[in-house]
């Protein structure tokens, strides 16, 4: 079932990115490259923002090491997620 969710994420991101890139090109914005990359990559930014909510509201983690490991690893995961979805 995780693979099905992954495929739905890829398809939805592709459709949204294509639609938003079309709108940018329809108004003759010929510097559309970074905006089209950020359309898909913004999902990773949202996930990283959700990590802050999860850390402060839901988890019982405390201390410098747990905080640095959690946010460091989540930054790497979300960066990879942004790269993966931004290149669609």
């Amino acid at each position: 079932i995780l693979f099905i969710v992954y495929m739905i994420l890829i398809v939805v991101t592709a459709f949204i990115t294509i639609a938003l890139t079309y709108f940018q090109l329809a108004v003759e914005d010929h510097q559309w490259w970074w905006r089209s990359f950020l359309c898909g990559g913004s999902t990773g930014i949202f996930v990283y923002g959700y990590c802050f909510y999860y850390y402060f509201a839901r988890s019982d983690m405390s201390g410098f090491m747990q905080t640095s490991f959690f946010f460091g690893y989540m930054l790497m995961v979300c960066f990879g997620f942004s790269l993966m979805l931004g290149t669609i």
Side-chain angles (χ1 to χ4, degrees):
I1 193 157
L2 190 59
F3 181 72
I4 294 170
V5 172
Y6 175 72
M7 293 310 296
I8 291 171
L9 175 69
I10 297 297
V11 169
V12 168
T13 302
F15 285 160
I16 296 296
T17 303
I18 289 169
L20 292 176
T21 303
Y22 171 76
F23 292 146
Q24 288 172 1
L25 290 174
V27 295
E28 296 181 4
D29 181 11
H30 297 290
Q31 296 178 348
W32 54 271
W33 307 285
W34 289 109
R35 287 190 194 146
S36 67
F37 180 79
L38 289 176
C39 287
S42 63
T43 306
I45 298 168
F46 172 77
V47 171
Y48 194 67
Y50 181 77
C51 292
F52 282 95
Y53 166 74
Y54 177 80
Y55 182 81
F56 291 114
R58 299 285 181 174
S59 72
D60 293 330
M61 289 186 265
S62 63
F64 176 74
M65 291 302 288
Q66 285 184 340
T67 303
S68 63
F69 269 76
F70 178 76
F71 286 114
Y73 278 116
M74 289 311 296
L75 181 66
M76 289 188 288
V77 167
C78 292
F79 181 70
F81 202 64
S82 292
L83 286 179
M84 178 185 68
L85 292 176
T87 55
I88 291 177

